[in-house]
Structures are given as C-alpha cells and as structure tokens.
Amino acid sequence: MNAKKLSERLRLVASFAEQGTVLADIGSDHAYLPCWLVQKGQISRAIAGEVVKGPFESAKRNVAKEGLTNKIVVRLANGLQAISPEDGVENVTIAGMGGSLIATILESDPERLAGVNRIIVQPNIHAKAVRDWAVSHSWKIVNEAILKEDHKIYEVLVLERGDRTYRPEELLMGPILLQERSPAFQEKWQGELNEIERVIQLLTETAQSEEAKAKRQQLMDTKEMIERVLKS
C-alpha cells in the first residue's frame, strides 16, 4: 500500500469523503489516505494529524514525495488537536483504531468539531462505542459498510449531525448493516457469538463473585440478541 494504491479498507473509507471537502485525517500514519484523495480530486485539501513521531515524519516525507505540500498539512498532534478553526475542516476520518479509542478522541476536543459536518470512522473493534458516542452527542449514522480483507472484517461508519435513537441491537451491530445483512456481517457476528459462548462457558465453570455473575448475565443477554438477529 502507498499513496497511489490504497488497501480496500482505506478505499472504502475514502469513498465516503464528500466531493471538494476539506478533510482532516486523524491518526494518519503515512498520510496515504489524504494523499490519495487529493490526487483523485475528491477533496480540495487536507490536514494529516499524527501523534507518534515516526509516522509523523513518514507522513511528511510522503506528502513531499507526492508534491502535495501545498494541499496537505502534516501536524504532530494528539487527536483532534491537529485541527484549528482556520483550517475550515468539514470532514474528519479516523481509521484503524479501536472503537473505544476513536470515541475518546472525539470526546476529548468536541469544540474542534464545530465546523465539521461529516465524520467517517473505521474502528477495528468495538464499533458500538462510536455509535454510543454519536447518540449522546447529537450525531446520527447516515451510512455503514462492512468488508473482509486479508482474513479480517472491518466496519466503516459515517456520521452526520442530527438526533436519532437506535434499538440495542442497532447500536451493537449497526442499523444499516442490520438491514443489509451481508455475508461479511453474518460471518462477523457468528464469530462474535462463538467467542461469547466460549467466555460464558468459562465463567460458568469458574465464576464465583457477584461481578463475574453479572458479567455472565450481560453476555447471556448479548448472546440472545445476536442469535435473534441471525435467525430472523
């Protein structure tokens, strides 16, 4: 993968960036995503934010190598601190992290999202944490996608401003993904179900504390929810 050839996962993330937008890619790593989007003419300019010095330096080199220093600004910053009001950022992408970390990043500097109208995230795990954040901060889920690449399954969530409520199974599994029920969706949740059953069995054999019993009951409830969805 490089600035001219993205992984299928990142191409899916890129596909949701609005035409002509100013985009901030948080945790940009090598800045492949913003470079690709600028070169395709899909976005007008970008901020590439990276908190780790090594990837930050790599991102700067890649932007310079592609001749895009006039279109992409690379910043060493923690999360949304890479964004300033004068940047005019309209879309934010955060890809390749856990959902809980993504939610923490969005939670930490909400004022930096003031001019943002679309957030595109690709959580590696725990997408529910992002959906929970969205509901509690007046963002709604306008699109979702799921794909399998290199034996891993990834979800992409697209958020825009607005209030909406979701059923528990929609927060867990995704309201749009639930409607589509693609093969990747079925595979993901069958795998999750198998893991939950394994942990329940382990807790049944070993758990004595009230905390462990509560955890087991929570997992039983989640198991029943997933089973109901997969069978419907």
Side-chain angles (χ1 to χ4, degrees), residues 128 168-174 178 181 185-197 200 218-232:
K128 182 180 183 295
E169 61 267 32
E170 291 177 322
L171 287 171
L172 179 65
M173 306 171 84
L178 262 172
R181 303 191 186 211
F185 174 88
Q186 300 281 352
E187 182 179 344
K188 171 186 169 64
W189 288 104
Q190 187 58 59
E192 294 281 354
L193 186 60
N194 294 342
E195 177 60 17
I196 288 171
E197 289 173 341
I200 288 172
Q218 181 186 32
L219 288 171
M220 288 290 292
D221 294 342
T222 302
K223 173 178 177 288
E224 290 175 8
M225 183 190 301
I226 296 171
E227 286 177 333
R228 186 168 66 251
V229 168
L230 292 180
K231 288 176 182 177
S232 63

Side-chain angles (χ1 to χ4, degrees), residues 1-2 11-13 20 25 34 37 44 50-52 59 84 86 98 114 136 144 181 185 191 205 217 219-220 225-226:
M1 184 170 68
N2 54 49
R11 284 202 306 274
L12 184 59
V13 172
D25 186 36
L37 281 166
S44 60
E50 179 52 59
V51 70
V52 180
S84 297
E86 57 270 22
S136 61
E144 293 178 310
R181 303 191 186 211
F185 174 88
E205 293 170 355
Q217 185 57 54
L219 288 171
M220 288 290 292
M225 183 190 301
I226 296 171

